[in-house]
């Protein structure tokens, strides 16, 4: 059962162990379709929260949400449904919190799936003292809940979340800033951003970090190539080759 449902786990703020005293490599990961399959519970929580807060019964209304932040998705869906911007802003924080509460109440009924090679990749990066964080469009409480359910949360120390900003490149910058401030990451160190959508790659490039695309979501290798990632893979299946290729 999830404890302290909407609280950030204490170990996120803990001083890292001696192996991470001066980390010079930071690996940042998207969650949905990068680490795990997308969550139906999360999707349903979107629609229920929008109905609860704004009184609108809707789906994604033709919007492709892949690579967008939760905050951005809610805003765009409401605009499509004719909701004025001032009303969107007034209800946004309540909607995000309601969505997180709905998700956390129901996610244990869903069988979230870790993608191929992910568990082995994270374990090996941890063994090599690579500092790891998140850059995800999920609101923070939902992000940590997903990772806790599948047993991956302990690998990650910080992140940039969809509750922080609607612009994904800002989430990358925020995560890097937290790594420097709270975990001693060297500001001149290498940062790798892993994601499955063109928006992940574009955000990483805008933030000035190295980008690693994985064709584990709805976008093919060819489609991801159009965003010019620094590295591209079909999956994390051959995780040892990925680690060696990236020099991790």
């Amino acid at each position: 059962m999830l404890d302290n449902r909407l609280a950030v786990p204490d170990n996120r703020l803990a001083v890292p162990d001696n192996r991470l005293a001066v980390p010079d490599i930071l690996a940042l990961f998207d969650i949905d379709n990068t680490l795990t399959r997308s969550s139906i519970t999360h999707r349903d929580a979107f629609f229920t929260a929008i109905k609860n807060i704004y009184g609108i019964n809707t789906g994604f209304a033709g919007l492709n949400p892949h690579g967008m932040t939760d905050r951005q998705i809610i805003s765009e869906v409401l605009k499509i449904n004719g909701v004025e911007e001032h009303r969107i802003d007034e209800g946004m924080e309540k909607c995000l919190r309601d969505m997180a509460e709905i998700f956390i109440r129901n996610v244990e009924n869903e069988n979230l799936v870790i993608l191929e090679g992910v568990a082995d990749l994270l374990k090996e990066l941890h063994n090599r003292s690579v500092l790891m964080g998140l850059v995800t469009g999920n609101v923070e409480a939902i992000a940590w809940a997903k990772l806790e359910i599948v047993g991956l949360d302990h690998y990650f120390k910080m992140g940039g979340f969809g509750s922080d900003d609607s612009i994904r490149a800002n989430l990358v910058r925020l995560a890097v800033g937290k790594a420097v401030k709270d975990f001693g990451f060297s500001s001149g160190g290498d940062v790798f951003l892993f994601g499955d959508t063109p928006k992940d790659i574009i955000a990483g490039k805008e933030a000035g970090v190295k980008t690693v695309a994985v064709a584990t979501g709805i976008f093919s290798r060819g489609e991801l190539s159009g965003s010019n990632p620094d590295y591209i893979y079909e999956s994390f299946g051959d995780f040892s080759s990925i680690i060696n290729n990236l020099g991790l």
Side-chain angles (χ1 to χ4, degrees):
M1 186 172 181
L2 297 173
D3 297 323
N4 299 321
R5 299 183 309 164
L6 297 178
V8 178
D10 290 342
N11 68 322
R12 307 298 158 224
L13 303 179
V15 176
D17 61 35
N18 290 335
R19 293 175 305 149
L20 296 180
V22 188
D24 58 2
I25 298 176
L26 173 62
L28 299 172
F29 289 85
D30 174 49
I31 295 178
D32 297 327
N33 289 327
T34 298
L35 298 177
T36 69
R37 280 281 167 240
S38 291
S39 166
I40 294 173
T41 305
H42 190 180
R43 180 201 65 190
D44 292 346
F46 260 112
F47 305 147
T48 303
I50 288 173
K51 184 176 181 180
N52 289 348
I53 304 303
Y54 295 98
I56 294 174
N57 191 6
T58 184
F60 286 125
L63 185 72
N64 180 354
H66 295 276
M68 297 175 68
T69 65
D70 285 356
R71 185 182 293 272
Q72 187 179 22
I73 294 167
I74 292 170
S75 179
E76 292 302 316
V77 166
L78 290 171
K79 287 176 183 176
I80 291 171
N81 280 275
V83 180
E84 295 180 353
E85 194 158 347
H86 73 88
R87 188 177 164 219
I88 294 174
D89 293 342
E90 287 172 358
M92 180 61 72
E93 298 307 320
K94 289 182 181 178
C95 191
L96 291 172
R97 184 170 182 85
D98 193 51
M99 178 176 64
E101 290 175 344
I102 293 165
F103 175 83
I104 290 169
R105 281 200 305 269
N106 294 285
V107 67
E108 289 178 326
N109 298 321
E110 181 178 1
N111 181 27
L112 289 178
V113 177
I114 302 173
L115 293 177
E116 179 188 11
V118 165
D120 290 329
L121 173 65
L122 298 181
K123 182 178 180 180
E124 184 61 24
L125 291 177
H126 175 75
N127 289 341
R128 295 180 182 222
S129 301
V130 173
L131 181 62
M132 288 182 276
L134 302 166
V135 171
T136 172
N138 293 185
V139 299
E140 186 167 4
I142 289 178
W144 290 124
K146 286 180 180 179
L147 295 178
E148 182 181 345
I149 284 287
V150 297
L152 298 179
D153 57 310
H154 62 286
Y155 287 117
F156 300 98
K157 297 297 183 182
M158 89 305 290
F161 303 92
S163 42
D164 296 323
D165 202 302
S166 60
I167 299 173
R168 203 171 188 102
N170 289 344
L171 303 185
V172 181
R173 298 182 185 102
L174 179 62
V176 174
K178 289 179 181 178
V180 172
K181 179 177 180 291
D182 297 329
F183 296 95
F185 176 65
S186 170
S187 58
D190 289 327
V191 182
F192 295 87
L193 177 69
F194 295 78
D196 67 286
T197 76
K199 287 184 172 66
D200 294 310
I201 306 310
I202 292 168
K205 289 189 169 297
E206 289 178 356
V209 306
K210 296 178 182 179
T211 53
V212 185
V214 283
T216 45
I218 69 166
F219 296 97
S220 68
R221 185 177 182 130
E223 289 170 319
L224 291 169
S225 295
S227 300
N228 297 313
D230 295 295
Y231 305 88
I232 186 167
Y233 300 97
E234 291 291 341
S235 73
F236 291 128
D238 189 4
F239 70 93
S240 58
S241 292
I242 294 173
I243 288 174
N244 291 333
N245 290 342
L246 271 56
L248 300 175

